[in-house]
Amino acid sequence: MNPTPAPAGAPKRDTVAETRAADGRGDPDGSDRPARPAHDHTLGFLRVSTFRGTAPSVVHVAAGTADGPQLLLGLHSRGEATLIRRGSHGVACGPGEIFARDGAEPVLLRESAAYELHLIRISRRALTLTDEQVRELSGRDPFADGPVASLLGTLLRQLVGTSPGRAPRTALRLAGAVAELVGLLAVEEADPGPHGRDALVRRLRAYVDAHLWDRNLTPAAVAEAQHISIRYLHKLFEGHGSTVGRWIQHRRLEEARRELARPGRADLTVSAVARRWGFASATHFSRSFRAAYGMSPSDWRDGRTKGAVGGGGNGPGR
């Protein structure tokens, strides 16, 4: 059951945020930044605060514990900042990117441009998240891509960009939709551990192998097909010493080289092989092949099919 929303005029029992000049000397009522949110309202069981200011500024998001455990979502609709986390040198946070934090932990943002920042607090009672899932979400870098993240970002931008005057039942349902997407987000990219990551990489590579012919095989297409974000996809391949794009290119070249080396295929054209393995053109294929193997595809084909290169013993292996 969704928690009962706070009355519209209820006093706030914890400080959502304060902003000050980047040197820390700003006065709460100074002209270099707003002392209070430009907008502060509830939407169902969500509490939404919008801050606007000039740069350079520091936005301090205070820990909120008075209303019970919470999850904090942040979203810039304008501006760029560095998100400072405990034990971290900071990560970039651009417009449209979402960051999540355990509401019991303070957050610091160093704004480097004129900004509009939206902070959304969600009661943990409305979320089906474990403490471990909250820690994992809070530890992620700001994100915007991925099947669930893109939906959540779109919904949040719609909610913070319109007036809060909605019927109570509608507001509760919208808040519930946000909570459901946050729950899906936690499940979508939960770290499966070393063995689980290895299994996922094997599945990703198998998918790539099965679609090498497709010219539209890109990191974005692989991520979408496997229901993970591009950011997480790149992270997985980085852990195996490669990138997704390089792996796709490597596998295409490897399979093309195998085909060109098959006996009795001297009549096989380079263009046909390029098309079969998903290269944009024969020119692109030839240039990539020469860069990888030091000879042209036709030289490789002619040498292998006529038995003139390495006596047939240097063919690629699995």
Side-chain angles (χ1 to χ4, degrees), residues 106-119:
V107 181
L108 198 68
L109 294 121
R110 298 187 182 278
E111 303 287 348
S112 58
Y115 65 92
E116 183 173 66
L117 170 67
H118 309 284
L119 304 176

Side-chain angles (χ1 to χ4, degrees), residues 29-288:
D29 295 320
S31 60
D32 58 350
R33 45 55 180 166
R36 296 179 180 177
H39 298 286
D40 196 5
H41 65 277
T42 58
L43 179 72
F45 50 84
L46 305 179
R47 178 174 162 191
V48 183
S49 301
T50 298
F51 289 80
R52 300 187 183 98
T54 57
S57 297
V58 174
V59 180
H60 176 245
V61 184
T65 58
D67 294 322
Q70 298 175 331
L71 182 73
L72 176 71
L73 299 178
L75 175 74
H76 283 87
S77 57
R78 184 174 71 250
E80 296 183 352
T82 300
L83 174 63
I84 308 296
R85 297 179 299 207
R86 182 178 298 177
S88 168
H89 294 297
V91 292
C93 184
E97 293 184 325
I98 304 168
F99 65 86
R101 294 293 290 162
D102 186 337
E105 295 287 337
V107 181
L108 198 68
L109 294 121
R110 298 187 182 278
E111 303 287 348
S112 58
Y115 65 92
E116 183 173 66
L117 170 67
H118 309 284
L119 304 176
I120 302 98
R121 288 189 181 272
I122 311 175
S123 169
R124 287 279 302 277
R125 295 190 299 271
L127 298 169
T128 56
L129 300 181
T130 65
D131 290 343
E132 179 61 31
Q133 286 174 321
V134 170
R135 284 192 293 271
E136 197 277 330
L137 269 178
S138 300
R140 294 185 193 177
D141 290 346
F143 50 87
D145 62 323
V148 177
S150 59
L151 288 174
L152 177 60
T154 299
L155 178 57
L156 289 178
R157 285 191 292 273
Q158 289 292 326
L159 293 181
V160 301
T162 56
S163 63
R166 294 185 174 87
R169 181 174 296 182
T170 300
L172 276 172
R173 289 186 175 181
L174 288 170
V178 172
E180 288 291 333
L181 288 173
V182 171
L184 287 173
L185 187 68
V187 174
E188 177 193 40
E189 293 184 9
D191 191 338
H195 296 298
R197 287 194 296 270
D198 288 343
L200 179 54
V201 170
R202 288 194 297 271
R203 189 167 75 243
L204 290 166
R205 287 179 171 177
Y207 179 86
V208 167
D209 280 353
H211 295 81
L212 290 173
W213 55 269
D214 186 356
R215 294 185 184 181
N216 294 318
L217 182 66
T218 62
V222 174
E224 182 177 1
Q226 299 300 309
H227 307 293
I228 60 176
S229 70
I230 298 177
R231 178 185 60 83
Y232 189 53
L233 177 67
H234 286 308
K235 181 179 178 181
L236 287 168
F237 272 78
E238 285 171 4
H240 286 73
S242 183
T243 68
V244 189
R246 282 203 300 266
W247 178 255
I248 293 172
Q249 179 88 329
H250 165 74
R251 289 293 298 122
R252 281 175 167 160
L253 286 170
E254 191 175 53
E255 292 301 326
R257 185 174 70 159
R258 286 178 183 276
E259 184 163 359
L260 287 166
R262 288 175 185 165
R265 300 301 302 273
D267 61 336
L268 188 64
T269 66
V270 170
S271 295
V273 174
R275 286 194 302 270
R276 183 189 299 275
W277 295 109
F279 287 93
S281 67
T283 301
H284 175 231
F285 170 52
S286 296
R287 186 167 54 246
S288 300

